[in-house]
Amino acid sequence: MVFKKIYNNMLQSKLFYKTTKETPREAEAISHKLLLRAGFIDQLMAGAYSFLPLGHRVIKKIENIIRRNMILSPVSGQEILMPALTPKENWLKTGRWNNFEALFKLKGQGDKDYALAATHEEVIVPLAKKIISSYKDLPLYLFQIQTKFRNEARAKSGLMRTREFIMKDLYSFHVSQEDLDNYYDKVSEVYFKIFKECGILTKGKNRFTFKTWASGGSFSKYSHEYQTITESGEDIIYICKKCGAAINKEIKSQMTACPEEKCGSTDFEEKKAVEVGNIFKLGTKYSLPFDLKFRSKDGKENPVIIGCYGIGLGRLMAAMVEVNNDDKGIIWPKEAAPFLVHLVQLENSGKVKKAAKEIYQNLQKNNIEVLYDDREDKSAGEKLTEADLIGIPYRVVVSERTLSKKSIELKKRDSGKINLIKENQLLKFLN
Ligand SMILES: [Zn+2]
């Protein structure tokens, strides 16, 4: 089942990872440094990363948050999976073979040209044409979570600007602009839910992620980006102090007042940000070159109206770390943490090992995802420092001291609050 948690629990002595104190000089963004240092990702080359087990679990959690919100909500998407390898002809049809600067092009057998897709209009529109013929086939909402490529001139900032990346892309097909407009607003609401679950919408009283007015390109007056404020961000946004809407730099130079309905304020705050998602009204831009039409109720043939909606999963993961960290390491939000509990066996006496193992098995029985630090060659200090760096929401320590008080020590990573509690209270607390 696609919504299930990932239940494979883990002994830290077997975990494929290595923490480091040093990071490469080019790693400037805090998310880049921490994800490398804590062993979540590994850089193969500039702009291409492996996700190690800890990082992979976070990506899968994010994927499931997005998938649930794409299916079980007014978005009502159907999931598909399209190829990354695509034929040149389709890109010629839309004019993007020559105009899309960052398109990865390659040669196959017999000198045939291909592109590694950076986006999927060139695949999904001809695909939809095979099924859509009448207004009865509309509206239609399709999405995928898939790997994309961009031939970036400057890949940097770890997962924030890569040449290969995982993306959720949703495409909606409509009979009218009005139907697209309504759906666009629904997706926009659901995007906020996703970013909230991923812990980047707000933190305490501060707002971090903003729906940001952006240029619509040649096909629509405006589109929207979802921008998360961080000093490592490469984008600049202007946040309206009156209504909290934001405008990107490109748009700001064309307008002086806030474009939100009934606002019109001219008081803005400038912030650096990273784009974690975007939504576009494409209109007929891609239905026309592929001749995607539907027959209306009165028998007329009309072009299908299209919208597209993206979220970059690696970017989102990086943004989560940018927003949620302290000087000790990462602070994962519960919903997307690699594990819920980090169980630390602080010493190696038979008594401590036995007690820790029992808790491990008990948590497993109760379907609680747990990373068990069973290593015997690490000091207590090393284990606790590493637990803070990795950033799992709840740290449970079993030691001679806690056992002497017939208790375990529970630390919440986000508040730093430590309590001695009884083991049976732990399950109640976590459930
Ligand atoms: Zn405003």
Side-chain angles (χ1 to χ4, degrees):
M1 265 308 292
V2 287
F3 303 133
K4 254 194 183 159
K5 283 189 193 168
I6 314 161
Y7 282 134
N8 58 329
N9 300 286
M10 182 62 75
L11 296 175
Q12 205 164 338
S13 58
K14 308 269 187 247
L15 181 66
F16 181 66
Y17 85 118
K18 189 178 163 187
T19 59
T20 52
K21 288 207 176 76
E22 268 112 66
T23 46
R25 208 172 341 133
E26 70 269 19
E28 284 168 14
I30 188 74
S31 58
H32 192 189
K33 282 184 195 164
L34 288 175
L35 289 170
L36 284 173
R37 278 188 53 208
F40 282 73
I41 57 171
D42 176 76
Q43 182 173 320
L44 173 66
M45 57 182 176
Y49 289 84
S50 298
F51 290 91
L52 308 190
L54 288 173
H56 183 252
R57 290 180 72 94
V58 175
I59 280 289
K60 289 292 151 188
K61 293 286 181 76
I62 296 174
E63 213 174 82
N64 281 349
I65 289 172
I66 293 176
R67 178 175 285 119
R68 174 163 38 77
N69 278 290
M70 285 297 110
I71 298 172
L72 302 179
S73 77
V75 172
S76 303
Q78 298 181 53
E79 187 167 6
I80 61 171
L81 182 59
M82 292 178 277
L85 190 64
T86 63
K88 177 184 182 180
E89 298 74 58
N90 293 31
W91 297 88
L92 281 175
K93 268 195 182 157
T94 59
R96 289 207 278 193
W97 181 261
N98 296 312
N99 294 336
F100 198 131
E101 216 181 306
L103 191 64
F104 246 113
K105 298 170 182 172
L106 62 156
K107 285 246 185 254
Q109 296 281 359
D111 227 20
K112 224 172 136 32
D113 288 307
Y114 300 90
L116 291 175
T119 172
H120 272 78
E121 286 83 4
E122 277 80 355
V123 181
I124 203 162
V125 177
L127 170 63
K129 187 178 161 64
K130 292 176 184 168
I131 312 274
I132 295 172
S133 60
S134 146
Y135 70 93
K136 290 176 191 160
D137 302 320
L138 298 168
L140 175 67
Y141 317 123
L142 301 172
F143 77 98
Q144 65 171 350
I145 297 172
Q146 188 260 5
T147 300
K148 300 210 175 338
F149 297 84
R150 242 167 236 247
N151 202 354
E152 291 282 356
R154 284 182 326 124
K156 58 173 263 187
S157 304
L159 297 181
M160 289 200 277
R161 185 168 292 282
T162 55
R163 298 199 167 99
E164 175 179 333
F165 52 96
I166 306 165
M167 196 168 154
K168 182 283 297 176
D169 41 338
L170 164 73
Y171 303 86
S172 67
F173 301 87
H174 307 267
V175 295
S176 67
Q177 184 66 38
E178 192 193 359
D179 198 51
L180 167 61
D181 290 347
N182 287 333
Y183 188 73
Y184 186 90
D185 291 342
K186 283 182 196 166
V187 176
S188 170
E189 285 303 307
V190 171
Y191 264 38
F192 279 126
K193 279 191 190 159
I194 292 171
F195 297 134
K196 189 170 182 214
E197 281 189 56
C198 289
I200 61 166
L201 187 61
T202 55
K203 201 172 124 187
K205 280 185 182 148
N206 298 324
R207 180 75 177 267
F208 276 84
T209 298
F210 293 84
K211 185 177 173 183
T212 307
W213 292 79
S215 155
S218 56
F219 36 93
S220 168
K221 197 168 179 200
Y222 298 113
S223 67
H224 290 93
E225 296 165 348
Y226 289 79
Q227 294 272 5
T228 305
I229 306 175
T230 166
E231 269 308 301
S232 319
E234 287 182 25
D235 294 345
I236 304 252
I237 61 167
Y238 297 86
I239 300 160
C240 170
K241 284 187 181 171
K242 189 175 164 198
C243 76
I247 307 172
N248 80 2
K249 203 173 181 178
E250 193 187 5
I251 292 283
K252 182 69 172 63
S253 59
Q254 294 158 37
M255 60 169 68
T256 47
C258 176
E260 282 300 316
E261 234 176 288
K262 293 175 193 158
C263 182
S265 170
T266 52
D267 200 6
F268 293 99
E269 194 183 7
E270 186 183 304
K271 289 279 182 192
K272 279 185 173 174
V274 58
E275 183 189 338
V276 290
N278 53 44
I279 54 178
F280 284 95
K281 292 176 186 176
L282 298 171
T284 58
K285 184 180 164 81
Y286 295 99
S287 45
L288 293 178
F290 290 105
D291 198 28
L292 173 61
K293 289 184 202 152
F294 70 96
R295 196 174 296 281
S296 67
K297 264 185 195 164
D298 54 14
K300 276 191 201 142
E301 289 220 306
N302 295 319
V304 173
I305 313 288
I306 303 177
C308 80
Y309 319 82
I311 294 179
L313 275 72
R315 281 254 185 107
L316 179 50
M317 180 170 163
M320 284 159 66
V321 178
E322 291 288 328
V323 174
N324 301 287
N325 70 76
D326 62 14
D327 55 353
K328 297 187 180 77
I330 305 170
I331 305 170
W332 290 110
K334 253 181 271 173
E335 291 74 9
F339 295 90
L340 185 65
V341 174
H342 198 164
L343 173 64
V344 181
Q345 161 196 313
L346 210 61
E347 296 118 1
N348 302 319
S349 70
K351 210 167 105 189
V352 171
K353 281 202 282 192
K354 183 168 172 280
K357 204 174 168 192
E358 271 174 24
I359 295 173
Y360 180 53
Q361 287 165 347
N362 208 0
L363 290 172
Q364 281 179 302
K365 254 185 247 157
N366 285 278
N367 288 330
I368 289 164
E369 295 168 288
V370 52
L371 175 65
Y372 171 23
D373 192 348
D374 60 331
R375 296 173 301 169
E376 298 194 10
D377 58 343
K378 299 285 173 200
S379 71
E382 281 174 302
K383 287 184 169 190
L384 297 179
T385 304
E386 209 174 89
D388 278 342
L389 176 63
I390 292 172
I392 292 168
Y394 299 108
R395 188 188 79 190
V396 171
V397 169
V398 181
S399 68
E400 299 286 353
R401 188 179 71 91
T402 66
L403 289 180
S404 74
K405 291 179 181 164
K406 295 194 168 52
S407 298
I408 51 174
E409 183 196 279
L410 175 69
K411 179 185 169 185
K412 285 178 79 177
R413 180 67 182 89
D414 57 354
S415 66
K417 238 176 125 184
I418 296 180
N419 285 312
L420 276 183
I421 60 165
K422 301 286 172 212
E423 196 202 324
N424 60 3
Q425 287 178 299
L426 175 66
L427 280 174
K428 261 186 232 157
F429 178 80
L430 294 171
N431 283 325

